[in-house]
Amino acid sequence: MKYKKIGDILILNDDSDNLEELAEKHNVKTIMKIDHIQGTKREPVYKILFGSETETINKENKCLFKLDLSKVMWSKGNVNERLRIAKLVRDNETVLDMFAGIGYFSIPIGVHSNARKVISIEINPNSYYYLCENVKLNKCDNITPVLGDCLVETPKYNADRILMGYVKTTHHYLKVAVNSLNKGGIIHYHETVPEKLLETRPISRIKQAAGDRDVELLKINKIKKYAPGVEHVVIDALID
């Protein structure tokens, strides 16, 4: 039986018997099954199997994440990537976190780096609420949460580093991201890509969005298998 524990809530891949026994074994208050995540607001389609409370606090990399698993998503597969990005942020950088969610990347940056400012844009009001809660919970005074569409809000800012921690339609947002990136800045672009196109498609999309600006590929970082023959990757690119 596959499962993941988020705070004091257990997420199962399949239905199971002996739920009370399972809850006691893993010391959780609720057991849920999340069928899938839907839409640009990344909202879960779920079923409660045991218990009733869906709000919890998850601890990860010395960060606290308060969330309601009936309203917002959580990806355990990105745990190493969240810390990797936080450690790349240089002192006094301005960071723009597009698709910020509850602060998956913003909070580790606020906790583990000396960024001057982190602008965190999120379109889902529920995720935005928990983003604000997590800023307070982790005492990250340098994070500014922004409620709105990245296409509309991103052009209002300029940043030294831009995070694009979303997949499926992320390439539609590349142009506004590149236009807001300072000269010599770094973009971290997430994409789900067939393995045979891994070395070509993501970077070509960044170059197309960059136009006349020079693009240097720094790293292709594999996060996890998204589907058979398809990888979730992050492209680190420097743009002059």
Side-chain angles (χ1 to χ4, degrees):
M1 179 185 60
K2 291 186 177 181
Y3 67 88
K4 55 186 174 183
K5 187 177 178 182
I6 301 168
D8 53 4
I9 295 176
L10 200 67
I11 307 293
L12 301 184
N13 282 14
D14 301 293
D15 293 346
S16 176
D17 298 325
N18 304 318
L19 291 169
E20 191 170 347
E21 205 174 286
L22 202 58
E24 189 174 334
K25 177 183 176 182
H26 293 282
N27 192 28
V28 295
K29 62 185 178 185
T30 304
I31 300 176
M32 301 173 66
K33 177 185 175 185
I34 295 178
D35 186 53
H36 63 278
I37 304 296
Q38 65 180 7
T40 56
K41 293 184 180 180
R42 296 179 285 182
E43 296 171 314
V45 175
Y46 69 95
K47 180 165 71 172
I48 295 177
L49 305 175
F50 175 84
S52 58
E53 293 181 55
T54 53
E55 186 177 84
T56 189
I57 294 178
N58 192 54
K59 296 178 183 178
E60 176 187 284
N61 294 326
K62 298 182 180 179
C63 302
L64 300 175
F65 294 93
K66 186 177 182 181
L67 71 161
D68 187 329
L69 287 161
S70 70
K71 297 177 180 177
V72 302
M73 63 164 279
W74 178 264
S75 175
K76 288 183 78 72
N78 289 348
V79 56
N80 294 327
E81 179 65 10
R82 291 191 274 267
L83 188 58
R84 182 183 81 91
I85 294 297
K87 289 183 174 181
L88 288 176
V89 174
R90 297 184 287 251
D91 291 356
N92 296 315
E93 277 191 348
T94 295
V95 180
L96 179 60
D97 184 8
M98 300 170 68
F99 322 104
I102 64 169
Y104 311 104
F105 290 98
S106 294
I107 295 301
I109 291 169
V111 170
H112 293 290
S113 82
N114 291 314
R116 184 173 71 87
K117 184 191 295 184
V118 183
I119 301 134
S120 308
I121 304 172
E122 174 53 40
I123 195 171
N124 183 335
N126 290 320
S127 296
Y128 174 78
Y129 169 79
Y130 285 105
L131 170 61
C132 295
E133 288 289 294
N134 291 327
V135 168
K136 290 185 284 187
L137 196 59
N138 292 276
K139 300 177 181 177
C140 296
D141 297 333
N142 59 344
I143 297 177
T144 302
V146 176
L147 177 62
D149 186 335
C150 288
L151 285 176
V152 177
E153 299 299 329
T154 300
K156 298 177 183 178
Y157 304 96
N158 292 102
D160 305 304
R161 187 179 301 269
I162 295 182
L163 317 177
M164 303 184 73
Y166 180 60
V167 293
K168 294 185 180 179
T169 60
T170 324
H171 56 288
H172 296 309
Y173 297 80
L174 267 170
K175 188 67 176 174
V176 294
V178 169
N179 288 346
S180 290
L181 188 67
N182 292 333
K183 182 177 172 61
I186 294 172
I187 196 164
H188 302 282
Y189 164 65
H190 289 237
E191 185 174 319
T192 49
V193 57
E195 290 173 349
K196 62 184 179 181
L197 299 177
L198 183 61
E199 303 291 334
T200 55
R201 192 178 77 181
I203 193 64
S204 69
R205 282 177 165 173
I206 295 173
K207 288 179 177 178
Q208 184 178 6
D212 294 335
R213 296 175 68 177
D214 291 330
V215 177
E216 179 187 349
L217 174 62
L218 302 177
K219 185 174 185 177
I220 300 176
N221 199 44
K222 294 182 181 180
I223 303 298
K224 60 190 175 192
K225 287 280 184 186
Y226 185 79
V230 179
E231 292 275 357
H232 174 184
V233 299
V234 181
I235 309 300
D236 299 350
L238 187 148
I239 303 177
D240 269 336

